[in-house]
Amino acid sequence: MKSAPKLILLFLCISSFSFAQKWQLEVKSYVELRTWKLTTKAESKSNGLAGASIKVFNGSTLVTQALSTADGDFSVMVPPNAELVLEVSYQGCNSKRFKVDTRNVPAEIGTDDWKPTFNIKGGFIMVKPYPTIDYSGLQQTLISAHYKPSLRNFDDDAASIDVGLAIVSKIYAAEDVLFQNFCSTNKAGDDALRIPDCPLARMLYNKAISIIPGESYPVIQLLKVGDCLKEKEAADKKLAEEAAAKKEAEKLAAEKAAADKAAKEKNAVDKLAAEKLAKEDATKKAADEAGAKKEADKIAAEKSAADKANKDKSAAEKSAADKLAKAEVDKKNAEQNVTKDKAAADKVAAEKIAKEEAAKNAKEKAASKNKGAEEKKSVTNKKAADKAAREKALSEQEAKEEAELVAKEKADFEKREADKKAKEEEFKASQNGQGEEIDPGEKGDAKKHSRETLGLSDKYMELYKKGEDLFKMKRYEEAKPVYEEALKCKPDDKNAKTRLEQIAKLLAPK
């Protein structure tokens, strides 16, 4: 009876240990659905699987269950002190099993506030079963996890991982062989259809259907085989029609050859008749041409006499025009200060006179045909008088224009000289008053720079001055493209080049 208290105390300790561990293990992972597209090659696609069933069993008793989310993730709470099996399943796919042992957790670890978690690495891949593949290994628990004191948490068992990988790898290898057989049969069917060997293609696609029933690719290709057989039948019919057409064409060719021979003989007779008629026509044509030639000679003689008279008249008119042109050239050579605008005006005036002279000559030529010698002489004298009057008027006009041009050029020259002087003063002022001094080696060339600046264009001076203003304000990046544009106006100018060298030094990285 003395030992009874000890037994009661031991029972109370065991009971307190059992009820003290109220923690639960949170097991997390994810589920993917792998689908295969099998044609002439095998292509897989995996996506997170929603609605997969996750159940936890203690023996045959269902402890808890959950469903995977839209992304395929799931989480279940597993009770302590039990050897449990987590089963993942989805309609039409092979189930996967995972063993979780929550026993052997020390009392000092498994307190109420302890919240252990375990993440099943790699997740669960669900695949529909294929014929002839042995999936019996999936009835086992592929991986197991238990409490590890060194980690003070749960972790998977390395030995179970090796066993699970071996089972899955064997299944994958068998599926690869099956897929390869199915896809290669489809490819052989495609090759036969391409030739085309329609019966062989049909046999191969039916074989592929027997290897993996339910796949769409060989079924679709069989429809093409039916089209192929119809096309072959149509091709055979076409060949027969072409043979008949060829025979008919040969018959028509023979008939045409006979007709051509008859036509050739008729053409020979017609040709002889045509040649006789042509000879008679040629004789008549020769007589007509002789009469026409005699008439043409008469007309040519009359034309020659008229042309000689016109030529003499043209020679006289040309001589007068040459004399006038020589006078114009001599006068032009004597004018040294005539500008381009004056030369253009002279050219316009000369062209106007030439046009008037040509019009006059044409009018006189038309009139001379119907007038006598006295009228011709009178016209010539009048023409000479008119020409002399025009030349006098032209000389007076040119003298007046020349005087006006000389006066204008003098005023322009004085203005240019004044502008040059002002630009020289402005340039000297910019050289002496600038914010940054030019290198000492360049100061000796200041006088030469001034002489060069006198010949710069207005555009260059405008750009250079703008660059100087920017340089004085130390806006070097803005001044650089302005100096470069100025160099395009005067490529050899040292002022702009010197400024660009200074700007390069100022903007160089320190």
Side-chain angles (χ1 to χ4, degrees):
M1 295 297 295
K2 292 181 179 180
S3 61
K6 292 182 180 180
L7 291 173
I8 294 171
L9 181 61
L10 178 62
F11 176 77
L12 289 175
C13 289
I14 294 172
S15 299
S16 63
F17 176 79
S18 300
F19 289 104
Q21 293 187 333
K22 297 181 180 179
W23 55 267
Q24 292 189 77
L25 171 63
E26 183 182 12
V27 178
K28 298 187 294 183
S29 190
Y30 61 92
V31 185
E32 287 184 351
L33 176 64
R34 177 176 295 171
T35 56
W36 288 92
K37 181 181 179 181
L38 303 177
T39 56
T40 57
K41 59 183 178 179
E43 298 174 298
S44 65
K45 180 173 68 174
S46 297
N47 294 306
L49 178 59
S53 174
I54 296 90
K55 296 181 179 179
V56 179
F57 292 93
N58 187 349
S60 60
T61 303
L62 178 63
V63 176
T64 185
Q65 61 182 335
L67 294 176
S68 59
T69 65
D71 295 329
D73 297 331
F74 71 84
S75 172
V76 291
M77 303 304 294
V78 178
N81 303 317
E83 188 174 11
L84 308 164
V85 173
L86 186 149
E87 181 182 88
V88 179
S89 62
Y90 187 75
Q91 184 178 3
C93 298
N94 291 310
S95 299
K96 304 287 178 68
R97 290 167 178 77
F98 184 90
K99 181 179 179 181
V100 183
D101 189 351
T102 58
R103 299 173 300 174
N104 303 318
V105 177
E108 65 271 20
I109 300 298
T111 59
D112 291 347
D113 57 352
W114 187 49
K115 297 179 179 179
T117 62
F118 177 73
N119 189 8
I120 302 175
K121 303 178 186 67
F124 296 86
I125 299 175
M126 311 305 289
V127 184
K128 76 171 185 177
Y130 286 91
T132 72
I133 305 299
D134 181 10
Y135 294 102
S136 60
L138 297 179
Q139 300 300 318
Q140 305 178 42
T141 54
L142 300 178
I143 306 175
S144 64
H146 59 271
Y147 178 80
K148 290 191 176 181
S150 61
L151 299 177
R152 298 171 66 87
N153 203 345
F154 289 84
D155 198 1
D156 47 29
D157 181 69
S160 69
I161 292 175
D162 293 338
V163 172
L165 287 176
I167 293 171
V168 173
S169 297
K170 183 178 179 182
I171 292 172
Y172 285 170
E175 287 179 341
D176 287 343
V177 172
L178 179 67
F179 294 163
Q180 178 62 31
N181 188 16
F182 176 84
C183 294
S184 62
T185 303
N186 283 333
K187 185 176 184 307
D190 287 356
D191 294 339
L193 185 60
R194 197 177 296 113
I195 294 174
D197 186 343
C198 309
L200 176 60
R202 178 169 55 186
M203 182 272 290
L204 289 168
Y205 290 134
N206 284 325
K207 180 181 177 181
I209 292 173
S210 68
I211 294 172
I212 304 180
E215 289 295 324
S216 62
Y217 185 83
V219 176
I220 293 172
Q221 294 302 97
L222 278 174
L223 297 176
K224 296 180 182 180
V225 170
D227 294 337
C228 171
L229 292 170
K230 291 178 182 178
E231 289 172 0
K232 187 175 185 306
E233 181 180 350
D236 293 340
K237 182 179 179 181
K238 184 179 178 181
L239 287 174
E241 291 173 351
E242 287 176 350
K246 182 179 179 183
K247 185 176 181 180
E248 183 65 21
E250 290 173 351
K251 178 182 177 182
L252 293 173
E255 293 174 352
K256 184 178 182 300
D260 289 343
K261 182 179 179 181
K264 186 176 180 182
E265 293 173 351
K266 184 177 181 301
N267 288 339
V269 174
D270 293 342
K271 183 179 179 182
L272 290 174
E275 287 175 351
K276 182 179 179 180
L277 183 60
K279 186 176 180 181
E280 293 173 355
D281 290 341
T283 302
K284 183 180 178 183
K285 184 178 180 182
D288 293 341
E289 287 177 349
K293 184 176 184 301
K294 185 176 180 180
E295 183 65 22
D297 291 341
K298 180 180 177 182
I299 294 171
E302 293 173 353
K303 184 177 183 299
S304 178
D307 289 345
K308 186 176 184 303
N310 292 334
K311 185 175 181 182
D312 293 340
K313 180 181 177 182
S314 298
E317 292 172 351
K318 184 177 184 300
S319 177
D322 291 342
K323 185 177 180 181
L324 179 61
K326 186 175 183 303
E328 292 291 335
V329 171
D330 293 338
K331 184 176 180 180
K332 185 176 180 181
N333 291 335
E335 296 170 350
Q336 298 180 354
N337 297 320
V338 177
T339 61
K340 185 178 179 181
D341 293 337
K342 177 66 171 57
D346 289 343
K347 183 178 179 182
V348 171
E351 289 175 352
K352 183 177 180 182
I353 292 171
K355 288 179 180 179
E356 291 175 353
E357 191 68 20
K360 185 75 175 177
N361 291 341
K363 185 176 181 182
E364 290 173 354
K365 183 177 179 181
S368 65
K369 290 183 179 180
N370 300 320
K371 292 183 180 180
E374 285 298 325
E375 289 177 341
K376 181 177 181 182
K377 183 177 181 181
S378 175
V379 170
T380 302
N381 292 338
K382 185 176 184 302
K383 178 181 175 184
D386 291 342
K387 184 176 181 181
R390 286 196 302 273
E391 290 177 350
K392 182 178 178 180
L394 181 61
S395 297
E396 290 174 354
Q397 179 65 24
E398 290 177 347
K400 181 180 178 181
E401 291 177 352
E402 183 176 359
E404 291 175 352
L405 180 61
V406 169
K408 183 178 181 299
E409 288 182 343
K410 182 178 179 181
D412 292 342
F413 177 78
E414 290 174 351
K415 184 176 182 303
R416 286 196 300 271
E417 289 297 311
D419 291 341
K420 285 182 180 179
K421 186 174 181 180
K423 290 175 182 177
E424 181 180 6
E425 293 298 330
E426 181 181 355
F427 180 79
K428 288 180 179 179
S430 68
Q431 292 295 313
N432 294 330
Q434 59 194 7
E436 294 290 333
E437 289 295 328
I438 297 177
D439 292 343
E442 294 296 327
K443 289 182 179 180
D445 294 333
K447 186 175 181 180
K448 183 178 179 182
H449 291 170
S450 298
R451 288 196 302 272
E452 291 175 348
T453 305
L454 293 177
L456 300 177
S457 66
D458 290 343
K459 183 178 180 182
Y460 170 81
M461 288 303 298
E462 179 183 350
L463 291 168
Y464 186 85
K465 185 176 182 306
K466 181 179 178 182
E468 288 294 288
D469 293 339
L470 293 169
F471 190 97
K472 291 174 185 179
M473 291 186 286
K474 298 185 179 182
R475 293 162 62 179
Y476 304 125
E477 292 182 350
E478 298 178 44
K480 182 180 177 182
V482 177
Y483 284 123
E484 290 174 344
E485 188 65 25
L487 277 177
K488 293 180 180 179
C489 299
K490 191 172 180 64
D492 297 329
D493 182 65
K494 292 185 178 179
N495 295 320
K497 288 183 178 179
T498 299
R499 282 296 187 223
L500 286 172
E501 291 172 358
Q502 291 176 347
I503 289 173
K505 292 178 181 178
L506 292 167
L507 295 179
K510 302 298 183 183

